[in-house]
Amino acid sequence: MLKKFFSSRYIIISLIVFLFIYLYSFFNLYFANYTIINDNPTPNPNINYQTSISSKCFAWPVPGCKTITSYFGYRQGSAVVSSYHSGLDIGAPTGTYFVAITDGTIVNTGWTGSGGFTITLVNQNLRISYCHSSPDFIVKIGQKVSRGEVIGQVGPKNVYTIPNNPYKDSKGNPTNGAMTGPHLHLTIRKDGVAVNPLDYL
Ligand SMILES: [Zn+2]
């Protein structure tokens, strides 16, 4: 038995099993943020939401989601007229948690028309709006929040609770503001003027 155990076949099988267990735990550790984040009804206590602090001391608004779907500024359309985009769009599924990019006070939670359901945070002369959010707000007006603290979730594409909502998708269903799919639109206004969020993040 002992002789058999130390034969090469057993050693190779053992090595494969150990390698599999090692790789499995390695991938779990590294991709936990991306797989768990949207499935929990409350922020996951195992995720450190303050991990992505930029050199400018602001937190990335959507931990685990780095895809920018539209940049700030004038974007070229197919027509002669180019359109102005007041913020930064970050692609993220409905339910994805987003965080306060800096310390501040919540000054608005509600419907803002083209921005859909929106959470607004103020820090001195900066006014930071998170548009197309979930209408199930988890922060209250007047609440003080800290950088990296979860303040809301990316909302659904369609919302049905706004009377006479002028924003509709191609099927005629009312949408969460002017948008074609779930994402976070982040606007930063400095002294009332919209600035490029990437100058801060
Ligand atoms: Zn946008």
Side-chain angles (χ1 to χ4, degrees), residues 85 89 183 185:
H85 188 225
D89 288 350
H183 70 278
H185 169 108

Side-chain angles (χ1 to χ4, degrees), residues 84 86-87 120-121 123-129 131 185-195 197 200:
Y84 173 72
S86 64
T120 303
L121 167 70
N123 177 325
Q124 296 179 40
N125 62 342
L126 294 180
R127 191 178 172 91
I128 301 144
S129 292
C131 300
H185 169 108
L186 183 82
T187 295
I188 302 180
R189 286 195 168 79
K190 185 183 180 187
D191 299 315
V193 179
V195 292
Y200 291 83

Side-chain angles (χ1 to χ4, degrees), residues 22-189:
Y22 175 79
L23 284 175
Y24 182 78
S25 50
F26 176 84
F27 276 99
N28 258 357
L29 272 179
Y30 271 76
F31 296 108
N33 278 7
Y34 302 90
T35 52
I36 296 169
I37 192 166
N38 297 322
D39 296 330
N40 279 307
T42 53
N44 188 330
N46 298 320
I47 296 176
N48 179 1
Y49 286 97
Q50 303 196 2
T51 45
S52 42
I53 307 294
S54 74
S55 56
K56 293 154 191 159
C57 297
F58 284 75
W60 183 253
V62 196
C65 294
K66 288 276 182 185
T67 308
I68 294 168
T69 53
S70 184
Y71 288 87
F72 169 83
Y74 289 94
R75 46 188 174 191
Q76 293 300 127
S78 51
V80 180
V81 181
S82 61
S83 62
Y84 173 72
H85 188 225
S86 64
L88 183 73
D89 288 350
I90 300 163
T94 300
T96 306
Y97 288 101
F98 52 77
V99 303
I101 62 168
T102 182
D103 298 349
T105 307
I106 303 296
V107 296
N108 184 49
T109 59
W111 178 259
T112 60
S114 63
F117 288 103
T118 298
I119 296 168
T120 303
L121 167 70
V122 163
N123 177 325
Q124 296 179 40
N125 62 342
L126 294 180
R127 191 178 172 91
I128 301 144
S129 292
Y130 298 75
C131 300
H132 316 302
S133 84
S134 164
D136 300 322
F137 298 111
I138 56 176
V139 288
K140 292 188 176 77
I141 293 172
Q143 186 176 333
K144 299 248 187 297
V145 295
S146 307
R147 179 185 66 184
E149 185 178 334
V150 171
I151 58 169
Q153 288 173 274
V154 172
K157 177 187 173 188
N158 296 112
V159 292
Y160 298 93
T161 54
I162 300 299
N164 305 316
N165 181 355
Y167 303 99
K168 295 191 166 47
D169 63 17
S170 55
K171 292 174 187 161
N173 294 317
T175 55
N176 191 356
M179 55 106 92
T180 54
H183 70 278
L184 175 71
H185 169 108
L186 183 82
T187 295
I188 302 180
R189 286 195 168 79

